[in-house]
Amino acid sequence: MALELKNPHSVLAALQSRPIDVTEIRLSAGSAQGNWGEVADEARKHRIPVIIKKSAPQKMKRKQSEEQGRRTAGSVGMVKPRTPSSLGELFANAEGETELNGLWLAMDCIQDPHNIGAIFRTAAFFGVRGIVLTKDRSAPLNATVYDVASGGMEAIPFAVETNLSRAMTDAKKLGVWIMGTSEHAEDDVSAFHQDRPWMVVIGNEEKGLRRLTLEQCDVVCRLTPTGIVDSLNASVAAGIMIARFSPFGPGVK
């Protein structure tokens, strides 16, 4: 079943990477320009239907008109969700590397789709090699996730696993080191460096990492607060970890 995506960047990314999964573009009157115009042009190249809805005859309130001008309200792309990769496919390119390099992520029961989407967007920006999500007690990969990711869902291979602990074990067999994150950890993140391939594990927004997940981690670290706020949103914390441990992050030579 297709998702209704409202972010033109998400729709365009899908058109460029897997046009066969884009079934239709529906544009509101006056939106066939700018970002949505680019979407429409790309869709027509692949002979995907582009439907432009006629404007309603009634007058529009000023606030509504301004909002439509900013977001082209009503324009959507009908896009089928991506099929997750198998765990083997996620690490297929890593197996056999003489010098394993890169960063992977795992999300342990992240339940807010906005957080998942934001993490995918940051991961795509920094070239994360793959993401493992948990099948149970996690937010579905719905239209909100795709829209917030702004194209990131198309760029990063991901696997959805019933057993995260087993996935972490498989990653370690390939030479990937597992770094858990917890506000209760003894070691600050500054104790570790981008000197090996890491898989950073981000925990649930309320409960953090589960016990079995923690037991599989090679190291566990915290982001130590230096101000009056003592916690971070899951996607913000993930963004900091991605930027710090990606081989393409700030300060990496």
Side-chain angles (χ1 to χ4, degrees), residues 54-71:
K54 295 181 179 180
S55 57
Q58 67 269 23
K59 290 185 178 180
M60 207 182 300
K61 293 181 180 179
R62 180 176 179 182
K63 184 177 180 180
Q64 181 183 354
S65 177
E66 291 175 349
E67 180 68 13
Q68 180 165 336
R70 288 193 298 269
R71 298 183 59 84

Side-chain angles (χ1 to χ4, degrees), residues 59-213:
K59 290 185 178 180
M60 207 182 300
K61 293 181 180 179
R62 180 176 179 182
K63 184 177 180 180
Q64 181 183 354
S65 177
E66 291 175 349
E67 180 68 13
Q68 180 165 336
R70 288 193 298 269
R71 298 183 59 84
T72 57
S75 296
V76 299
M78 305 302 294
V79 182
K80 295 178 183 178
R82 280 183 68 193
T83 301
S85 301
S86 67
L87 198 62
E89 291 170 335
L90 199 69
F91 291 100
N93 294 332
E95 193 168 7
E97 288 186 19
T98 55
E99 292 186 14
L100 190 61
N101 192 23
L103 175 68
W104 286 262
L105 294 180
M107 301 188 210
D108 191 11
C109 301
I110 298 292
Q111 295 180 321
D112 186 341
H114 291 87
N115 280 335
I116 295 178
I119 291 170
F120 265 92
R121 182 172 185 172
T122 304
F125 183 87
F126 282 107
V128 167
R129 294 185 64 171
I131 295 178
V132 180
L133 301 101
T134 50
K135 183 177 181 180
D136 301 321
R137 288 178 284 179
S138 295
L141 299 180
N142 58 19
T144 298
V145 173
Y146 278 76
D147 277 336
V148 174
S150 198
M153 287 296 297
E154 308 301 329
I156 306 295
F158 65 91
V160 180
E161 294 293 312
T162 302
N163 192 327
L164 179 59
S165 178
R166 184 175 59 199
M168 294 162 68
T169 298
D170 289 347
K172 288 197 282 187
K173 289 178 181 177
L174 291 171
V176 177
W177 290 65
I178 310 297
M179 176 182 290
T181 54
S182 170
E183 61 182 307
H184 306 297
E186 294 183 5
D187 295 318
D188 182 76
V189 67
S190 60
F192 306 99
H193 306 282
Q194 213 302 307
D195 57 354
R196 65 196 70 183
W198 290 106
M199 173 184 276
V200 173
V201 191
I202 306 298
N204 174 269
E205 292 91 341
E206 295 295 330
K207 298 180 180 180
L209 298 181
R210 292 174 293 173
R211 178 182 60 83
L212 289 177
T213 303

Side-chain angles (χ1 to χ4, degrees), residues 14-29:
L15 281 167
Q16 293 172 338
S17 60
R18 51 187 183 101
I20 194 172
D21 287 335
V22 182
T23 60
E24 188 176 81
I25 306 298
R26 303 172 187 170
L27 303 182
S28 60

